[in-house]
Amino acid sequence: MLDRILEFQRALRSAGVPVAITEGLDALRSLEHISIADRQEMRAALAASFVKNQEHRETFDVLFDLYFGT
């Protein structure tokens, strides 16, 4: 899962979403508190860490579906 989150973080950056390394660590820590089998919980946890501006939410959602399925 670590590799997938790091790839996802890089993809977000490449797509213009400003994501810092510390936010990636926060995202990983957030996954300790949810069921990663529940995609909606996972989407919400990662969005809370990675999306700071609503204009980046659509990019996040598209990439989330590509990296973690629907």
Side-chain angles (χ1 to χ4, degrees), residues 1-2 5-6 9 20-36 41-42 44-46 48-50:
M1 180 60 67
L2 173 62
I5 297 293
L6 293 175
Q9 183 178 8
I21 292 171
T22 56
E23 292 158 346
L25 294 172
D26 291 342
L28 288 169
R29 286 186 192 109
S30 74
L31 298 180
E32 296 174 4
H33 303 282
I34 64 159
S35 168
I36 61 171
E41 280 189 19
M42 187 172 172
L46 293 180
S49 296
F50 290 137

Side-chain angles (χ1 to χ4, degrees), residues 8 10 32 39 42-43 58 68:
F8 179 58
R10 282 191 290 271
E32 296 174 4
R39 291 292 177 227
M42 187 172 172
R43 181 186 301 266
E58 183 178 349
F68 302 105

